[in-house]
Amino acid sequence: MDRLSSTSEIVESTPELSLEVKMGEKGGNSSIPTSNKYSIEDDINRLFEAIDIRRTKGSSHEGGSGRDALLKKAMKRPMRVGSPQASGIGISESVSLKQALRGLCISQASEMAAMKRLSRPTGSARASEAGSSKMLYRTVVVEANDSSGLTPSKGDGKVVEVSLVPETVTSSCSQNIVELSQIDKAGSSDQSADSSKCQIAPTGFVSEVSKLEIESPSAVDSSSCNEQTPNVDDTTVLDSIQGSGEQSNALPSHSGSSNGITGISPVCNTTRFIKPIFRNRSFMKKKGKKDSEFASSSSNSRDIKVGDDMDPSLGSAMEYGDRASPASSGSTSNSIESSFSTVDTSASKMGCNSSGCGDRSISKLTKIDERSISREKGESFSQNSKSSSIGEYSSSSTSMSVDSSLSGSSCHSGYRPHMSKDLRWEAIQQIQRQDGVLALRHFKLIKKLGGGDIGSVYLAELSGTDSRFALKVMDNEFLAGKKKMLRAQTEREILQMLDHPFLPTLYAHFLSEKLSCLVMEYCPGGDLHVLRQKQPDRCFSEHATRFFVAEVLLALEYLHMLGVVYRDLKPENVLVREDGHIMLSDFDLSLRCAVNPVLLQSTSPDIDPPKRTSTSPSCSESSCIDPFCLRPSWQMSCFTPRLLSVAATRSRKSLKSDLSSHQVTPLPQLVVEPTSARSNSFVGTHEYLAPEIIKSEGHGSAVDWWTFGIFLFELLYGRTPFKGSGNEETLSNVVSRSLKFPRGPVVGFHARDLIRGLLVKDPENRLGSARGAAEIKQHPFFEGLNWALIRCAIPPEIQGYSDGRTSSSKCKGAEENGEFDMF
Ligand SMILES: Nc1ncnc2c1ncn2[C@@H]1O[C@H](COP(=O)(O)OP(=O)(O)OP(=O)(O)O)[C@@H](O)[C@H]1O
């Protein structure tokens, strides 16, 4: 959303993981293409041909042929037993990893299949899939629990932990980004599971507040379209961005520009340095104190974005970029460019959350050769980035660079199977063939969609086509001057990796001497912040909320699998597609890190996943591990109808009893969660900041689960839970105030229970911190949800939604009438 500019900068990068993801077609289609489905199956089959699993000593089960037959029947496909060629310890075991993969939802299975790309050596982009699979799974490692001392917490001694460790991590991206590769700060740590650490998060009801805070609406309507321009060039756009009379290294003042650009990223006209007082313990006691340090209006505090790297030891000041509405031109931004980098090499302790702790079959993660590599820019980094960026952007060429800086990722649609059939690829390639380059002049800017910290986003049409894109335009000089180049670069690199129905597709990027442009998928439905304002009581129904957060959860899960900690979840960044499904946007504050896929195998004869709450009913239906979860239900509600649900439960129960009598090993669980990633950056939005960020304790992927809890809370209640009268109070509340639910609207127990699990202040005990999205997906709040096919489900009806969808056509009409003269 629009916001005042900030010099908040965060870029942590690690060697890029070039992943190829095979996905089904984009959500909203009437069905999942059969070919893709079988492609996934084939991938999985190939993977298992190359896999080798070893049984943990002492954890063997005598399943016998009867067990195999049962499992085969269950899977309806033959299973292969790994050959004993993998490294590892223990006794060879015929653990069925295939079950785990089949049990995963389609998107997960696709992503899992894509992991084979991890082992692809540089330059062998077209290696055979079977070969890649073997390369990956040759590295399967099985830890012996008994010999390593990693005894399961409940003493069942039947936990097998399998870590899928990629042999190599391709860093093709960094190779092409000169300066970045020189300043990597890598830390590695081996994690050992701490089975004894098991704390119970509060699960009971908490007292409810008597009053519901009323939040002043701050909807930002980005759909207005009153200006338009025909084809443009760098100069006109740059002028537009800067406004006449503006210096070129700064975004324009927020006051209305004479050239008709409104809502453009404003310049903070005041720079102030403040001490990071919330790091001080005394800060925690300052509840209620007037926020004197933050000049922004408290009413806009939820829109303030913090994106600074700062050194707590130095008490560095920081810069706050105000995300306030366009009218907030008077808001103050406090700038700091000080930053630091810390790589946490300590072992990450696996805590248990409220529900998973007591489960006898809970598995611990054993990280083998897991590296926590986080790169954050410090002052010197910023300097480097500046010079780097200057070098990178000082090319006199105005030609396009279509994803050319990254191998394994390009404009070529083949690298993004999920979107490969999108006609917009062909439209862009047609231009390239025709003119040799893609440049700004090939686009007709239709309207401005919004402005952010690092650039402005326009709805743009590729000339001569009806292909529309969201064109993010960034001023190179501004980026360099404000040391935001790395943020822009981080966003671009992450976008280049993505191929997921709930994440944006980057079709191309190009740069000129003055501008850097990203050609992205356009999302016409507006964002959830705006849409929420249009709902009755300014909050979504539980049904709609469940749909949105479920899709966000899948997007976060995918990002984590790619080694991206998102860090900026909030309704403003959740856009709605034309088909009503969501698209998570805005990655410039994301943390990139290494991630190590771990397959958790419990040999406890219990096919149910761990219960997430003490009061939760069986959540087997919502478990993506359950192969029966994959029944076709497209164009149906993604939430299983009750009758079907009952029938399915029965059949599951009978299967469970059958399997139990045969001592069948439960299905393994894939966990790809960058649990060891650590950053000390101060990034995020005040009301969404996790306590560990505020306290500068170092944070990792668990911050995404905190923000996920805040996000869920806000969609349901129309406000965030810790909002104070000012930013300082908000931060204080986040750290020290207990979670309370408003009396209204009435929200179900499971939703509140999920929020409670997510908003645990200690990240180690937070739901999702140990096993990532898999933990959260199993919460009863999502019971009956078909994770695999949610992308094909009919989105909930929500008010105001059609406004967004028709906005572009309105603009088109206006454009035809010549009403726009934006540039
Ligand atoms: N693909 C898209 N389709 C439609 N609108 C978009 C798209 N991407 C961004 N926008 C809109 O453009 C505006 C600016 O987005 P942008 O990501 O540049 O800034 P931001 O969200 O404020 O974050 P940041 O400043 O960190 O970049 C947002 O309000 C968003 O709604």
Side-chain angles (χ1 to χ4, degrees):
M1 298 304 301
D2 291 355
R3 74 191 95 164
L4 296 183
S5 69
S6 160
T7 58
S8 312
E9 298 185 23
I10 288 302
V11 177
E12 292 101 342
S13 300
T14 60
E16 177 140 340
L17 309 181
S18 297
L19 302 181
E20 179 183 58
V21 181
K22 286 185 177 294
M23 305 287 297
E25 288 301 293
K26 179 180 174 181
N29 292 343
S30 58
S31 66
I32 290 184
T34 308
S35 58
N36 279 356
K37 211 172 170 183
Y38 283 123
S39 172
I40 292 166
E41 297 281 333
D42 292 343
D43 284 344
I44 295 171
N45 286 335
R46 289 193 195 100
L47 293 177
F48 279 89
E49 285 171 9
I51 203 164
D52 176 51
I53 307 296
R54 296 191 175 199
R55 160 162 285 191
T56 298
K57 192 176 178 181
S59 64
S60 62
H61 278 282
E62 299 303 318
S65 59
R67 166 195 159 193
D68 288 343
L70 256 178
L71 290 176
K72 284 178 183 177
K73 185 179 175 186
M75 307 313 300
K76 296 178 183 172
R77 290 188 65 88
M79 270 181 294
R80 291 174 184 269
V81 177
S83 60
Q85 62 178 342
S87 60
I89 53 178
I91 304 168
S92 179
E93 180 192 23
S94 58
V95 174
S96 174
L97 289 176
K98 186 171 183 178
Q99 288 180 70
L101 292 179
R102 282 184 56 83
L104 293 174
C105 66
I106 289 176
S107 61
Q108 285 180 302
S110 305
E111 290 148 8
M112 180 60 189
M115 286 299 173
K116 61 182 180 289
R117 290 288 299 271
L118 283 170
S119 60
R120 178 174 295 177
T122 307
S124 61
R126 295 293 177 189
S128 72
E129 291 186 353
S132 299
S133 305
K134 286 178 183 173
M135 290 174 67
L136 171 62
Y137 284 100
R138 217 178 284 137
T139 62
V140 168
V141 178
V142 181
E143 280 292 292
N145 299 306
D146 52 353
S147 61
S148 64
L150 303 176
T151 309
S153 57
K154 290 297 176 185
D156 54 17
K158 292 176 179 177
V159 176
V160 178
E161 295 151 356
V162 183
S163 178
L164 307 181
V165 184
E167 274 186 329
T168 60
V169 177
T170 305
S171 181
S172 55
C173 168
S174 300
Q175 292 167 1
N176 293 289
I177 302 167
V178 181
E179 289 76 10
L180 280 183
S181 63
Q182 299 168 351
I183 49 181
D184 272 353
K185 293 180 180 178
S188 65
S189 66
D190 290 337
Q191 287 187 324
S192 61
D194 180 1
S195 61
S196 63
K197 188 168 182 63
C198 185
Q199 299 179 30
I200 308 295
T203 56
F205 283 104
V206 293
S207 60
E208 296 178 338
V209 295
S210 56
K211 278 199 298 184
L212 174 63
E213 270 188 59
I214 305 299
E215 178 186 78
S216 60
S218 56
V220 178
D221 185 2
S222 63
S223 62
S224 63
C225 50
N226 51 8
E227 294 156 318
Q228 180 268 338
T229 187
N231 298 344
V232 290
D233 57 24
D234 286 9
T235 309
T236 51
V237 173
L238 192 59
D239 288 346
S240 301
I241 294 174
Q242 294 174 341
S244 58
E246 291 290 340
Q247 292 188 354
S248 61
N249 63 348
L251 288 177
S253 164
H254 197 58
S255 53
S257 74
S258 58
N259 60 5
I261 308 284
T262 57
I264 231 163
S265 300
V267 137
C268 303
N269 49 20
T270 305
T271 299
R272 193 155 58 113
F273 292 87
I274 32 179
K275 296 177 81 174
I277 55 172
F278 35 81
R279 193 165 287 104
N280 190 317
R281 283 181 185 276
S282 63
F283 163 73
M284 313 305 174
K285 300 172 185 171
K286 288 184 180 177
K287 290 179 64 180
K289 181 188 172 188
K290 271 278 185 184
D291 182 2
S292 57
E293 295 288 344
F294 298 87
S296 341
S297 158
S298 62
S299 63
N300 288 324
S301 63
R302 73 96 62 262
D303 287 331
I304 292 176
K305 187 174 190 175
V306 185
D308 299 306
D309 298 332
M310 62 182 191
D311 186 347
S313 64
L314 297 175
S316 306
M318 57 191 171
E319 174 186 332
Y320 287 79
D322 200 331
R323 298 177 65 90
S325 63
S328 60
S329 57
S331 296
T332 301
S333 177
N334 312 285
S335 71
I336 178 177
E337 288 298 332
S338 175
S339 56
F340 69 104
S341 172
T342 299
V343 177
D344 184 0
T345 57
S346 63
S348 175
K349 295 174 183 175
M350 308 310 300
C352 302
N353 56 42
S354 59
S355 49
C357 203
D359 197 286
R360 62 193 167 92
S361 63
I362 185 149
S363 304
K364 299 176 280 84
L365 301 181
T366 298
K367 300 286 183 171
I368 302 169
D369 190 32
E370 171 147 7
R371 296 177 306 160
S372 171
I373 304 174
S374 65
R375 181 172 58 195
E376 304 189 39
K377 55 190 175 143
E379 189 62 36
S380 59
F381 191 82
S382 297
Q383 293 301 328
N384 281 340
S385 82
K386 184 177 179 182
S387 57
S388 152
S389 304
I390 291 171
E392 181 184 353
Y393 289 90
S394 62
S395 164
S396 59
S397 167
T398 57
S399 64
M400 54 83 72
S401 167
V402 182
D403 290 344
S404 57
S405 64
L406 286 179
S407 67
S409 178
S410 80
C411 173
H412 195 278
S413 59
Y415 289 102
R416 291 183 178 85
H418 166 65
M419 294 292 287
S420 61
K421 293 187 176 66
D422 190 327
L423 296 176
R424 283 168 286 197
W425 292 109
E426 177 55 30
I428 288 179
Q429 285 162 8
Q430 175 67 28
I431 296 286
Q432 289 179 247
R433 282 194 292 271
Q434 187 180 300
D435 291 2
V437 295
L438 185 68
L440 201 53
R441 61 186 154 87
H442 292 118
F443 292 90
K444 183 169 66 176
L445 302 188
I446 296 171
K447 68 170 181 174
K448 181 171 179 182
L449 297 170
D453 278 349
I454 61 174
S456 298
V457 180
Y458 300 89
L459 171 61
E461 192 170 276
L462 195 60
S463 300
T465 75
D466 57 1
S467 295
R468 290 190 164 188
F469 301 91
L471 189 68
K472 186 160 186 170
V473 182
M474 292 160 282
D475 178 347
N476 297 336
E477 198 172 349
F478 170 82
L479 292 177
K482 296 290 182 182
K483 296 175 180 148
K484 295 173 186 289
M485 197 68 89
L486 284 171
R487 277 177 60 176
Q489 183 171 294
T490 295
E491 179 162 49
R492 190 191 71 223
E493 290 177 3
I494 291 173
L495 283 169
Q496 285 174 308
M497 293 193 294
L498 306 180
D499 183 28
H500 191 278
F502 306 141
L503 292 167
T505 297
L506 179 70
Y507 292 91
H509 70 83
F510 53 88
L511 55 89
S512 68
E513 200 170 346
K514 296 176 179 173
L515 299 175
S516 179
C517 301
L518 301 173
V519 183
M520 299 180 292
E521 184 182 358
Y522 169 56
C523 233
D527 63 63
L528 287 189
H529 180 64
V530 173
L531 286 172
R532 183 180 64 75
Q533 316 287 333
K534 298 177 180 176
Q535 307 310 305
D537 298 327
R538 296 189 175 182
C539 49
F540 291 108
S541 69
E542 211 167 314
H543 175 76
T545 298
R546 188 161 65 153
F547 176 84
F548 291 132
V549 299
E551 295 201 332
V552 167
L553 182 57
L554 290 177
L556 290 174
E557 180 181 43
Y558 175 86
L559 289 171
H560 285 195
M561 291 175 95
L562 293 180
V564 174
V565 182
Y566 181 53
R567 301 201 294 193
D568 201 17
L569 177 61
K570 54 187 172 183
E572 291 93 326
N573 284 340
V574 181
L575 308 181
V576 180
R577 294 177 187 275
E578 191 165 18
D579 61 10
H581 292 265
I582 66 102
M583 185 179 99
L584 198 57
S585 70
D586 201 0
F587 302 94
D588 60 327
L589 291 184
S590 297
L591 167 70
R592 296 179 63 192
C593 54
V595 65
N596 187 32
V598 175
L599 192 62
L600 299 179
Q601 169 69 66
S602 170
T603 57
S604 170
D606 182 355
I607 64 170
D608 275 347
K611 305 298 184 295
R612 304 313 313 157
T613 70
S614 55
T615 56
S616 72
S618 168
C619 50
S620 56
E621 286 174 42
S622 60
S623 166
C624 62
I625 289 179
D626 187 341
F628 294 96
C629 182
L630 293 176
R631 62 181 169 273
S633 63
W634 41 82
Q635 289 307 314
M636 293 169 56
S637 166
C638 59
F639 305 110
T640 312
R642 185 158 295 280
L643 281 177
L644 188 56
S645 171
V646 170
T649 303
R650 279 206 201 100
S651 69
R652 258 185 217 95
K653 279 179 181 167
S654 63
L655 174 68
K656 177 182 174 182
S657 119
D658 287 349
L659 296 180
S660 293
S661 64
H662 288 272
Q663 292 289 296
V664 172
T665 302
L667 301 175
Q669 185 177 47
L670 179 69
V671 175
V672 192
E673 180 75 0
T675 49
S676 64
R678 282 295 175 273
S679 166
N680 282 297
S681 303
F682 195 77
V683 294
T685 303
H686 286 98
E687 291 169 56
Y688 275 76
L689 282 175
E692 62 267 31
I693 294 181
I694 296 172
K695 292 192 281 185
S696 282
E697 292 175 342
H699 64 268
S701 57
V703 297
D704 279 347
W705 307 130
W706 173 274
T707 56
F708 187 71
I710 303 281
F711 176 69
L712 175 58
F713 189 106
E714 182 173 4
L715 296 194
L716 288 169
Y717 290 105
R719 46 161 285 210
T720 54
F722 301 112
K723 178 178 166 53
S725 58
N727 293 325
E728 188 179 353
E729 189 180 326
T730 297
L731 298 179
S732 175
N733 291 341
V734 169
V735 169
S736 57
R737 196 173 80 181
S738 61
L739 174 67
K740 293 177 181 176
F741 293 102
R743 285 192 188 280
V746 175
V747 170
F749 169 77
H750 289 322
R752 284 179 290 149
D753 188 73
L754 176 56
I755 291 171
R756 270 192 294 270
L758 293 164
L759 297 184
V760 171
K761 296 189 193 297
D762 180 356
E764 290 190 350
N765 294 325
R766 190 173 302 151
L767 187 63
S769 64
R771 288 182 290 137
E775 277 184 274
I776 301 167
K777 286 158 89 173
Q778 291 169 1
H779 191 279
F781 178 66
F782 295 115
E783 183 178 6
L785 192 151
N786 192 325
W787 292 98
L789 299 176
I790 190 171
R791 77 178 78 167
C792 303
I794 299 172
E797 291 285 336
I798 56 171
Q799 291 185 19
Y801 170 61
S802 58
D803 297 352
R805 280 189 291 186
T806 55
S807 63
S808 60
S809 57
K810 283 178 188 169
C811 288
K812 193 173 181 183
E815 171 192 338
E816 286 162 359
N817 294 332
E819 293 175 16
F820 298 146
D821 187 22
M822 187 183 287
F823 304 103

